[in-house]
Amino acid sequence: MKALIFNGALERNPNATAYKIAEYLQRILSIEGVDTQVFHVADSGIPLFDYSLKKTPQSVEIMNHAFRSVDMQIWLSPLYHGGMTGVMKNCLDWLEFSAKMPQPYLTGQRIGLVCWADGVQAMQGINAMDAVAKSLRAWTLPYAVPVQKIELFDEQREIAEKYQDRFGLLTQLLVHGPRKLTHINE
């Protein structure tokens, strides 16, 4: 199985929240035997969406291939004014490139959603991502991880146990689908 972790944050620091979460999720998926790649929108070179272009930019073709060649995805975004980042949404808009393909957009893929905020409003970002994922014909998990950023890390700047459990449940649902789940640390 193949998975894509879509990092919708603009941070490029390897110690940034998005990188730490992506690294942790990639490690969990690897243990499950899932071949995982991380797509960092900040490094993708995706231009502003322009439906009138005659030629699709190469970065968009690469992105479309990466997004459409996996079995599952996890989307990561900080909360930006009640939603996902604008660059993340712009990137997803470019999936329009696949509209005329036999299985357009993200048809049938399972998607897990993670959003973090300084306060307690991260669920707003998850709701925004959920709406976009469903419009792209994907199946969003019935379980998402809204993160209160202040609680995400322990003293060593590792993912706190509370969120290890939540990310573990998210990845189990993503990989194995709905079934009786066991606790990740058992």
Side-chain angles (χ1 to χ4, degrees), residues 3 5 19-32 34-38 40 74 171:
I5 297 172
Y19 277 79
K20 297 288 271 186
I21 294 172
E23 177 183 86
Y24 185 79
L25 290 168
Q26 190 171 24
R27 195 166 51 245
I28 291 174
L29 289 168
S30 175
I31 291 168
E32 291 283 346
V34 178
D35 180 25
T36 307
Q37 68 179 35
V38 180
H40 298 283
I74 299 176
T171 56

Side-chain angles (χ1 to χ4, degrees), residues 94-115:
W94 275 107
L95 286 167
E96 191 61 30
F97 170 76
S98 69
K100 292 186 172 57
M101 294 180 176
Q103 289 218 318
Y105 313 114
L106 303 176
T107 301
Q109 287 189 31
R110 284 192 296 241
I111 306 218
L113 305 172
V114 177
C115 184

Side-chain angles (χ1 to χ4, degrees), residues 117-171:
D118 289 329
V120 294
Q121 302 298 319
M123 199 63 199
Q124 291 177 358
I126 287 170
N127 290 336
M129 290 188 285
D130 181 70
V132 172
K134 287 177 179 170
S135 73
L136 292 170
R137 303 180 186 176
W139 294 91
T140 56
L141 297 181
Y143 178 81
V145 183
V147 175
Q148 190 170 1
K149 194 172 168 186
I150 195 167
E151 298 177 345
L152 179 61
F153 299 110
D154 63 18
E155 296 79 31
Q156 290 77 41
R157 190 136 170 87
E158 298 298 325
I159 303 293
E161 187 175 341
K162 168 182 175 176
Y163 285 104
Q164 289 179 25
D165 290 344
R166 292 174 186 185
F167 292 144
L169 179 55
L170 180 85
T171 56

Side-chain angles (χ1 to χ4, degrees), residues 53-120:
L53 289 179
K54 300 292 185 228
K55 181 167 176 15
T56 305
Q58 184 179 11
S59 61
V60 170
E61 290 179 12
I62 292 168
M63 181 272 303
N64 264 266
H65 176 73
F67 278 61
R68 293 173 38 75
S69 66
V70 297
D71 304 298
M72 63 196 80
Q73 299 185 28
I74 299 176
W75 293 359
L76 312 174
S77 180
L79 181 69
Y80 272 30
H81 305 285
M84 71 186 93
T85 63
V87 294
M88 182 177 194
K89 175 63 169 69
N90 178 70
C91 186
L92 292 166
D93 287 342
W94 275 107
L95 286 167
E96 191 61 30
F97 170 76
S98 69
K100 292 186 172 57
M101 294 180 176
Q103 289 218 318
Y105 313 114
L106 303 176
T107 301
Q109 287 189 31
R110 284 192 296 241
I111 306 218
L113 305 172
V114 177
C115 184
W116 57 95
D118 289 329
V120 294

